[in-house]
Amino acid sequence: WVHLSCLRRWQRGVLVSQPTHPDFYDDDDVRHRVCNVCKADFTCKPPTLLELMRSFTGEELAALVEEGCIISSSKGFSNELRRQVALVPAQMREELVDSNWVDGVFLIVQVVEDRGAQVHLQIKEKDDLIAFASQLTEQWIWQMRGRPFRLLFEGPLAEVTGSDRQQRLDTIRAMRLPCSLRLESVQEGDCGEDGIMAVGLTRPIDISSGAYHLRRRLRFQAALKKAIPVGEDFLPAVTHFAGGPCQKDSCAAAIVISGTETYQVHLRLLHALKAAQALCLAKPSADVEATESPAKRQRTEGHVSASSSTSQPRPESSCDGGSSGCGGSTNSSTDVVRMHVFWGTAGWSRCQLMGEIASGSWGLCRSSKSDVTTTPRQSLYEAIYPRLIFAPRTEMSEDYGSQAEMSNEALEAASRARLRVLRRRIQRREEEARLLQAESEVRQEDAQQAAPRPAADPADGPQSNSLAVEDSSVAGRVEAAVAEEDRDEASSGLSGIDMEDDEDDEDDEDDE
């Protein structure tokens, strides 16, 4: 037995060490569920990740993860990212994911409820299939993103539903690739995997020219062609924004602004274009004349004319000096119907976002109408910052301020410490792979011994001897190659495995 308070502290510590991003959860780490001494499952189940994150952030912050609220980066987080981005050549900085978070202000436009009672698992590689089979528990439970799922024996597995465990495992390992398996969640959903979609309000872009924006430009023109009848001018003023690093060439959302206190969020560009045009047409004729675009929208041979979108960069639009880039009026009156089109999105699972909030990277607040309609984009971050609510300091909190003051030697030491942790994780997984390989070889030997042997033939003797000689020579060549590699590594002072680990560690660090 163990004190419950001690167990809870231990489970909490293990869960805190997990990455916040669900794709990087270490499902092999079972220390919070299994005793390290007797290897039995704890009878007191650990808290879910969502329950843990809520204990760090508090219920007030957890309640702000909803549509219409604002997510904004903390100044310490922004300064740390700004320092890292500055190390990259200027022409490459816009491509960095981190550039989206620096002084970022994001409006939550959609919360997608997690209804994943069942999941479809696609497996394409033999090694992945063998690893999956080896990780199934006695109850056919498999951990994914920190959640337990039970394998369903249906489809190609239906015929072994009543078979013993070994036969079931053999059938799974022998499945034809690529294969699809269905699993059902063992636990009731706790909304931890809800999808949170937000768009950035502070990065206007000009898509009117350049190959980089070609796909966005073509998609906007195609939607415009469908939304507006032939011969009709498109009246609203349009400003395009970099909405986030996910699906950067797709329109994630569009906001139609019809006054200082009125706006609508649309998740489809076509619907937004129609709604904005309808609002313009519904205004008095004087207002329509004021918003009429000098660039007439025309069609030539079934294509959208370049004069409305790509011939010249748009002058500054009504959106705080940003360039609209594609169609629409440039009247600066706040009464004019305007459109903000967001290319790309920022996305989190609810649990992931709560973890990043708990670390101190983000703050939350409720949005006001002026945040979207009238506040200048360049001053929006400073305007909303005093309203943000941040998580209290806990063991999850990051020390962004102290990192900026660390010396180069201290930063290098911290990086090496992180790399050592990642290297140990890689080595553990390599050891597991070796064990799986050994297990597979034992099964193959057992199968060969159990197979019926053909009748003896005098010709088999020399053939088997030649095979033995060939196997011996192959083994000799392999040993010679390994020895040569060892000599090369000794002369260079570097280990091939360590070099591979370092590369993997750097990749993992970039992912983090």
Side-chain angles (χ1 to χ4, degrees):
W1 61 272
V2 63
H3 293 110
L4 181 59
S5 59
C6 296
L7 175 60
R8 289 298 187 220
R9 193 158 56 246
W10 166 254
Q11 291 172 330
R12 184 183 177 100
V14 173
L15 289 172
V16 165
S17 67
Q18 286 273 24
T20 57
H21 197 293
D23 288 342
F24 304 135
Y25 290 164
D26 188 0
D27 295 324
D28 298 331
D29 190 353
V30 296
R31 294 174 297 161
H32 57 300
R33 298 194 306 268
V34 178
C35 176
N36 283 336
V37 179
C38 67
K39 304 304 180 184
D41 290 347
F42 291 125
T43 55
C44 301
K45 293 183 178 180
T48 65
L49 281 173
L50 183 62
E51 291 171 343
L52 179 68
M53 296 309 157
R54 277 180 172 165
S55 70
F56 289 132
T57 64
E59 292 298 327
E60 181 183 9
L61 268 174
L64 289 175
V65 183
E66 63 178 15
E67 294 176 8
C69 289
I70 279 181
I71 308 170
S72 185
S73 55
S74 67
K75 290 190 175 181
F77 183 45
S78 289
N79 291 336
E80 175 64 18
L81 293 179
R82 189 179 288 108
R83 184 185 66 82
Q84 296 179 12
V85 169
L87 301 176
V88 178
Q91 62 272 22
M92 299 175 60
R93 291 174 187 171
E94 289 301 314
E95 291 297 311
L96 292 177
V97 172
D98 289 349
S99 298
N100 293 272
W101 315 136
V102 176
D103 297 344
V105 179
F106 295 85
L107 177 68
I108 300 178
V109 295
Q110 188 180 25
V111 176
V112 182
E113 183 181 351
D114 174 34
R115 296 192 178 98
Q118 292 189 357
V119 297
H120 289 264
L121 182 65
Q122 300 286 338
I123 299 180
K124 299 180 180 180
E125 302 293 337
K126 188 68 175 179
D127 292 343
D128 294 337
L129 184 61
I130 293 175
F132 170 78
S134 68
Q135 293 169 5
L136 290 169
T137 68
E138 292 292 334
Q139 293 77 33
W140 306 103
I141 302 297
W142 186 65
Q143 295 286 331
M144 181 175 66
R145 291 186 168 187
R147 299 171 64 186
F149 288 84
R150 180 179 287 107
L151 176 64
L152 299 178
F153 285 88
E154 56 186 28
L157 298 178
E159 59 185 19
V160 294
T161 302
S163 305
D164 60 29
R165 177 175 176 80
Q166 189 57 46
Q167 186 174 354
R168 292 191 190 188
L169 289 175
D170 291 341
T171 303
I172 294 172
R173 296 186 182 107
M175 290 183 69
R176 192 172 185 178
L177 299 175
C179 65
S180 177
L181 300 172
R182 289 183 66 189
L183 302 97
E184 64 178 0
S185 178
V186 175
Q187 300 174 344
E188 294 185 3
D190 60 357
C191 73
E193 292 300 313
D194 288 353
I196 312 299
M197 190 177 84
V199 292
L201 301 177
T202 57
R203 301 183 69 201
I205 56 175
D206 182 2
I207 69 169
S208 63
S209 61
Y212 180 77
H213 297 296
L214 177 61
R215 188 171 297 177
R216 298 170 178 171
R217 190 160 59 246
L218 292 176
R219 288 181 173 175
F220 183 81
Q221 292 173 0
L224 195 64
K225 183 178 178 180
K226 290 181 179 179
I228 308 302
V230 177
E232 184 175 308
D233 298 331
F234 183 62
L235 302 176
V238 181
T239 303
H240 298 268
F241 286 82
C246 305
Q247 299 178 330
K248 295 188 291 185
D249 291 329
S250 298
C251 177
I255 297 179
V256 178
I257 303 172
S258 54
T260 57
E261 296 294 323
T262 308
Y263 68 87
Q264 305 169 2
V265 177
H266 297 267
L267 299 180
R268 296 193 62 182
L269 177 59
L270 183 63
H271 295 168
L273 292 170
K274 291 180 178 180
Q277 183 74 348
L279 286 171
C280 281
L281 295 176
K283 283 180 173 290
S285 57
D287 290 346
V288 173
E289 291 178 3
T291 62
E292 187 175 85
S293 172
K296 299 296 184 180
R297 180 180 175 276
Q298 301 173 351
R299 288 187 174 86
T300 304
E301 298 180 358
H303 291 79
V304 179
S305 171
S307 65
S308 66
S309 57
T310 61
S311 59
Q312 296 178 350
R314 299 293 304 170
E316 290 188 350
S317 74
S318 57
C319 183
D320 320 317
S323 297
S324 67
C326 277
S329 167
T330 57
N331 193 304
S332 61
S333 171
T334 56
D335 293 332
V336 173
V337 176
R338 295 173 288 146
M339 271 189 66
H340 293 176
V341 180
F342 299 91
W343 299 96
T345 180
W348 301 265
S349 71
R350 185 184 294 272
C351 194
Q352 175 194 357
L353 179 57
M354 295 290 289
E356 294 184 13
I357 293 171
S359 71
S361 301
W362 303 95
L364 292 172
C365 69
R366 299 196 181 277
S367 64
S368 66
K369 301 291 185 181
S370 61
D371 295 335
V372 179
T373 60
T374 59
T375 304
R377 304 301 101 188
Q378 62 270 23
S379 59
L380 180 59
Y381 180 71
E382 293 297 336
I384 62 97
Y385 201 85
R387 293 162 28 208
L388 293 176
I389 302 174
F390 292 95
R393 288 196 62 83
T394 63
E395 58 264 42
M396 281 284 292
S397 302
E398 295 281 354
D399 294 324
Y400 293 119
S402 62
Q403 289 183 10
E405 301 172 359
M406 293 172 65
S407 64
N408 291 335
E409 293 79 5
L411 287 171
E412 184 176 354
S415 298
R416 289 184 178 277
R418 293 175 62 191
L419 292 177
R420 282 195 295 270
V421 172
L422 294 171
R423 185 178 291 110
R424 284 196 295 270
R425 183 177 300 173
I426 292 171
Q427 290 172 349
R428 185 175 71 247
R429 294 191 175 181
E430 288 177 346
E431 180 62 27
E432 292 173 354
R434 283 192 288 268
L435 293 175
L436 288 173
Q437 180 66 23
E439 181 182 348
S440 176
E441 292 173 355
V442 170
R443 286 197 303 269
Q444 291 177 1
E445 291 177 0
D446 293 342
Q448 291 175 358
Q449 292 175 1
R453 297 180 178 275
D457 191 331
D460 289 344
Q463 182 179 0
S464 61
N465 290 337
S466 64
L467 288 173
V469 171
E470 183 178 354
D471 289 344
S472 176
S473 63
V474 170
R477 290 198 300 272
V478 171
E479 291 176 359
V482 171
E484 184 177 357
E485 288 178 1
D486 289 341
R487 286 195 300 272
D488 292 341
E489 291 171 0
S491 62
S492 64
L494 296 175
S495 166
I497 293 178
D498 287 342
M499 290 173 65
E500 182 179 356
D501 286 352
D502 287 342
E503 292 173 359
D504 291 343
D505 291 344
E506 291 172 1
D507 291 341
D508 290 345
E509 200 167 16
D510 292 339
D511 292 338
E512 291 178 358

